[in-house]
Amino acid sequence: MSDSTSDAGDLNAVLSRLSTIIESRRPDRGGDPDASYVARLLHRGPDAFLKKIGEESTEAVMAAKDLDLALHTGAGIDVGRQRLVGEMADLWFHCLVALAHYDLRPADVLAELRKREGTSGIEEKALRKAFAREGS
C-alpha cells in the first residue's frame, strides 16, 4: 500500500518537472517548433492546444464509458483501465501546455484544489455563483 503523503509529493514533483520542461519549450524561451511538439503547439497559439484539450477530453470520456461497460460485463477491464489512464495522461499533458501558455503552473491549480478541500461541491458552486453575481 502506498503512503498518500509520499504519493502527493511524487505527484507534485512529476508535475513540476513536466511543467518546467514544457515551459522551456515555449517559443519565446527558445523552443523550436520544428523540433518540439510542445513548441509547435505553443507557436500555433491557443486554438491549437485548446483543440487538443477538447479532443483529449472527448477521448477520456469515451475511454471511461468503455471501461464502465467493461466493468459491467467483466470483459477487458485491465485494458479499459490502461486506456483511461493513457487518455487522462494526454489530457493532463495538454492542460499543462495551456497553463504554460498563460504563465501558470500546476502549483496554481493545486492551490485552488487545496482551497476547495473540505468544501462540498454544491457549496463551492453556490459560492462561485454568488461571487459572479456580486461582480456583475
Side-chain angles (χ1 to χ4, degrees):
M1 182 190 250
S2 65
D3 176 277
S4 62
T5 304
S6 175
D7 289 348
D10 290 347
L11 174 63
N12 196 21
V14 168
L15 289 174
S16 181
R17 283 192 307 270
L18 187 53
S19 176
T20 298
I21 292 167
I22 290 169
E23 288 175 15
S24 76
R25 302 295 200 275
R26 287 174 47 158
D28 63 339
R29 296 187 181 159
D32 180 2
D34 293 327
S36 164
Y37 172 72
V38 170
R40 188 175 320 133
L41 275 178
L42 291 168
H43 176 74
R44 290 181 180 165
D47 285 350
F49 59 78
L50 295 175
K51 179 181 176 185
K52 286 302 295 181
I53 289 171
E55 289 172 9
E56 299 303 344
S57 296
T58 300
E59 290 172 6
V61 168
M62 292 168 37
K65 294 296 283 179
D66 289 347
L67 177 55
D68 192 53
L69 180 62
L71 290 169
H72 283 82
T73 64
I77 295 171
D78 289 340
V79 170
R81 287 179 194 265
Q82 187 175 17
R83 180 170 166 237
L84 179 57
V85 167
E87 296 300 345
M88 287 293 182
D90 292 345
L91 176 58
W92 286 20
F93 175 81
H94 288 90
C95 289
L96 290 172
V97 171
L99 287 173
H101 173 80
Y102 296 111
D103 292 320
L104 295 165
R105 297 195 46 92
D108 298 309
V109 177
L110 293 173
E112 179 63 23
L113 290 171
R114 258 186 236 101
K115 255 184 11 184
R116 296 179 185 187
E117 192 174 14
T119 304
S120 94
I122 294 170
E123 289 174 21
E124 193 274 331
K125 187 173 181 179
L127 285 172
R128 277 190 286 138
K129 284 184 179 181
F131 286 134
R133 281 192 298 271
E134 288 175 10
S136 46

